[in-house]
Amino acid sequence: MQFGIFTVGDVTADPTTGRTPTEAERIRDTVAIALKAEEVGLDVFATGEHHNPPFVPSSPTTLLGFIAAMTERIILSTSTTLITTNDPVKIAEDFSVLQHLAGGRTDVMLGRGNTGPVYPWFGQDIRQAIPLTVEHYGLLRRLWREEVVDWEGKLRGPLQSFTLAPRPLDGIPPFVWHGSIRTPEIAELAAYYGDGFFANHIFWPASHTRTMVELYRKRFEHYGHGAPEAAIVGLGGQVFVRPSSQDAVRDFRPYFDNAPVYGHGPSLEEFTSLTPLTVGSPQQVIEKTLGFREYAGDYQRQLFLVDHAGLPLKTVLEQLDLLGEEVVPVLRKEFAVGRSPGAPDAPTHRSMLRAREAGAGPGEGGGPEQGPDEAPDGGTPRGAG
């Protein structure tokens, strides 16, 4: 299993001091957080993509490329790359370059985005969100896999004799996760191609996440990629950890109460009882996170949000120390106990390269490259359009 953190890159006032960091400070702090994540032994650092205030990560691959130059081991990912409003050609180019800079230590999580005004800013229509996702991703896959691409769709201009430069490192595209909070069509799309499915279940109860993951696993098997337990699942979550639960609740409450995304609603106690948010001691974080397996099965990647809602850098780095020293080592050990033999490890560039050399087949997830129901022209999977 891989453990890591993700950021949404919000610039939020600290409710305990009233101070709002500058955009420059927030970007520098994000780099410091990524370096600390590697230092404490985490596996993944991921950043979101936003194009509106109060967020700063409008160019994720620029940020990740800078971090790549300062790290040696950690996998660098996005927690959202907007497949709807970004052009597939530019996504393919940016991540191929990042692959080479990071020596393969990169993958990508695709999502539709949840900010409606972004669509017209990039010349798109939010009412076409699902068709854009399906069409753009179908083209993106071809750009990474074919030397010369001739393509024509409905929502983007055609390509004629296009060759991506640079080509993916070692001829292996970045592993793709399809991220979603609530949309079954995205789980279907991930299953259709045999890609990873990331359920960012910060705001929703366990019953919803169970439904989404079960759908993905069943459809993964339906499309011929393997047994349901062979599907690649990732989960999101948010934690705030202190040595004692009393200190955690006391310290985090003002940040929760004023958070842009969930403040001024249910109480902290109500929210933690209904969602995966964990505010407590290392043991409480361990117990609640281990409970995710009860409804998601054996999964491959767990990412925590630790820097949202105006938390100062010092506090975030303290969270990472506790995660690295007291939480994640126990989670690694406990998640390995009773793990299904059919549950694969999280894919990496190195593991996909080994699989190709061993003749395991062209599909990165271990299954066939295209689903059995795929139309000859790369048409829409059932239920995804």
Side-chain angles (χ1 to χ4, degrees), residues 18 46 49 62 65 73 92 127 135 149 175 205 247 253 280 282 298 301 328 332 346 355:
E49 177 184 347
T62 302
R73 182 191 54 80
R127 293 170 296 183
E135 182 172 295
V149 175
F175 184 77
D247 289 345
R253 188 180 301 279
D298 291 319
R301 176 175 285 185
V328 168
R332 291 191 196 280

Side-chain angles (χ1 to χ4, degrees), residues 93-311:
E93 291 173 339
D94 285 351
F95 279 89
S96 285
V97 172
L98 181 60
Q99 268 195 317
H100 287 274
L101 289 173
R105 293 185 292 121
T106 187
D107 53 37
V108 58
M109 187 189 302
L110 301 176
R112 294 179 300 144
N114 57 11
T115 307
V118 170
Y119 284 78
W121 292 345
F122 289 89
Q124 300 293 355
D125 185 343
I126 193 172
R127 293 170 296 183
Q128 296 292 320
I130 294 297
L132 279 167
T133 298
V134 174
E135 182 172 295
H136 281 187
Y137 183 54
L139 174 55
L140 178 61
R141 286 181 65 87
R142 290 188 60 186
L143 293 169
W144 274 332
R145 288 164 173 80
E146 298 177 21
E147 189 72 26
V148 179
V149 175
D150 292 292
W151 178 91
E152 184 171 352
K154 298 178 181 179
L155 302 172
R156 184 202 184 280
L159 290 177
Q160 295 181 345
S161 302
F162 180 83
T163 296
L164 180 70
R167 303 298 299 160
L169 179 65
D170 300 319
I172 296 177
F175 184 77
V176 171
W177 300 84
H178 298 265
S180 179
I181 296 176
R182 64 185 181 276
T183 309
E185 289 90 344
I186 302 305
E188 177 82 13
L189 187 68
Y192 179 69
Y193 285 112
D195 296 330
F197 177 64
F198 190 90
N200 193 3
H201 66 326
I202 289 180
F203 308 112
W204 289 70
S207 58
H208 175 74
T209 301
R210 181 196 299 272
T211 298
M212 294 284 282
V213 172
E214 286 181 350
L215 169 65
Y216 163 65
R217 291 187 184 279
K218 289 177 182 178
R219 300 301 284 173
F220 181 95
E221 180 182 40
H222 168 80
Y223 287 119
H225 299 294
E229 61 267 27
I232 308 297
V233 174
L235 297 181
Q238 181 169 4
V239 298
F240 186 87
V241 58
R242 288 298 197 203
S244 75
S245 59
Q246 294 85 354
D247 289 345
V249 171
R250 181 199 66 217
D251 292 351
F252 189 63
R253 188 180 301 279
Y255 296 95
F256 176 87
D257 289 346
N258 293 278
V261 295
Y262 47 53
H264 312 289
S267 69
L268 175 59
E269 287 75 14
E270 290 171 326
F271 204 84
T272 53
S273 69
L274 295 173
T275 75
L277 173 66
T278 310
V279 181
S281 66
Q283 186 57 40
Q284 287 173 311
V285 173
I286 290 167
E287 290 175 359
K288 190 161 186 176
T289 305
L290 289 173
F292 297 167
R293 185 159 64 171
E294 296 175 7
Y295 53 86
D298 291 319
Y299 62 109
Q300 282 69 34
R301 176 175 285 185
Q302 175 66 56
L303 299 184
F304 296 113
L305 179 62
V306 296
D307 68 336
H308 177 57
L311 289 167

